[in-house]
Amino acid sequence: KAGVTQTPRYLIKTRGQQVTLSCSPISGHRSVSWYQQTPGQGLQFLFEYFSETQRNKGNFPGRFSGRQFSNSRSEMNVSTLELGDSALYLCASSVDRGGYGYTFGSGTRLTVV
Amino acid sequence: AQKITQTQPGMFVQEKEAVTLDCTYDTSDPSYGLFWYKQPSSGEMIFLIYQGSYDQQNATEGRYSLNFQKARKSANLVISASQLGDSAMYFCAMSPMDSSYKLIFGSGTRLLVRP
């Protein structure tokens, strides 16, 4: 079966712009979570959605937002980009709360210049 | 606070030998899950193995085994018969079985397998 698909794979944006990243989960998975990975901070939880509802949000500024659609696909948006937002953004899907079954996508590598 | 600690930033192992990657965790929750993921240079996080906090036996998945010592709060990954393709970053992670719905990751260990 198809895995978790993240688009685009690479993105270059300018400071002040906004960006939208997309994540298509494995068919049947209703939970989608997002993580930011940077060399300095490591892997940090951004937020998690289940059936279009955000169930938890990490410690990130309000510039980071997300949503989930009725088909479980999810998008995350970062507004007013800063240089420090340059990172690998990973999406993971699972049937419910994850537990055994977190499956990650290949990530979107965002570079802010 | 819930935390995962990986104290080995980098490790070398000779091909075909076994290697142990260390992971300790801190939580006051009685129920939690422990994971190991592999991240090659391509960036994708690949699930390797899972251990539930109430599981009596250590988890095994092919060449991967998890040495779970609950009293010491450690969950070390053992890779047997290392292969060149095992060279990657390895992350230990914990999932609290509460309402947080997230994984907490350690800082990772970079493993290099020498031919």
Side-chain angles (χ1 to χ4, degrees):
Chain A
K1 59 181 179 180
V4 178
T5 303
Q6 290 190 247
T7 56
R9 284 297 310 276
Y10 302 93
L11 208 50
I12 300 175
K13 289 286 187 178
T14 304
R15 271 183 303 174
Q17 287 187 314
Q18 75 165 12
V19 67
T20 299
L21 311 182
S22 179
C23 173
S24 293
I26 290 173
S27 177
H29 285 194
R30 297 167 66 188
S31 169
V32 175
S33 49
W34 290 87
Y35 293 82
Q36 182 197 62
Q37 185 177 21
T38 60
Q41 299 298 316
L43 282 147
Q44 294 185 286
F45 171 76
L46 280 158
F47 26 64
E48 190 265 0
Y49 289 88
F50 180 83
S51 292
E52 303 178 66
T53 300
Q54 184 183 88
R55 295 195 292 192
N56 194 14
K57 181 174 166 57
N59 188 25
F60 280 82
R63 300 185 296 106
F64 291 81
S65 63
R67 59 178 175 169
Q68 186 181 35
F69 302 95
S70 58
N71 62 357
S72 294
R73 188 177 73 84
S74 177
E75 289 181 347
M76 67 163 281
N77 183 277
V78 188
S79 62
T80 319
L81 284 165
E82 301 177 359
L83 295 179
D85 297 334
S86 294
L88 178 66
Y89 290 88
L90 290 161
C91 163
S93 77
S94 63
V95 174
D96 186 354
R97 63 162 52 248
Y100 189 87
Y102 285 106
T103 304
F104 282 82
S106 298
T108 294
R109 190 167 295 278
L110 171 66
T111 302
V112 182
V113 298
Chain B
Q2 297 159 334
K3 187 178 180 180
I4 294 282
T5 302
Q6 294 180 255
T7 57
Q8 305 155 314
M11 288 193 70
F12 291 96
V13 64
Q14 206 66 32
E15 191 180 9
K16 299 181 184 178
E17 292 186 347
V19 63
T20 298
L21 306 184
D22 294 341
C23 171
T24 58
Y25 60 92
D26 188 16
T27 182
S28 56
D29 294 332
S31 182
Y32 48 89
L34 295 161
F35 302 77
W36 277 92
Y37 284 90
K38 172 185 177 182
Q39 188 178 42
S41 56
S42 60
E44 182 179 3
M45 298 288 280
I46 301 168
F47 167 77
L48 296 178
I49 197 166
Y50 166 83
Q51 179 86 41
S53 58
Y54 290 115
D55 293 342
Q56 296 296 315
Q57 292 189 322
N58 287 342
T60 60
E61 291 281 354
R63 294 187 299 112
Y64 305 107
S65 60
L66 198 153
N67 184 1
F68 181 46
Q69 298 188 46
K70 193 171 183 177
R72 299 179 61 182
K73 294 189 175 179
S74 73
N76 298 338
L77 176 70
V78 180
I79 305 175
S80 63
S82 296
Q83 302 172 355
L84 296 179
D86 293 335
S87 294
M89 282 291 290
Y90 288 81
F91 291 94
C92 179
M94 176 172 63
S95 174
M97 296 300 171
D98 56 11
S99 58
S100 62
Y101 307 106
K102 66 180 181 183
L103 284 169
I104 300 163
F105 285 90
S107 55
T109 296
R110 183 172 296 281
L111 178 67
L112 184 60
V113 181
R114 290 170 165 158

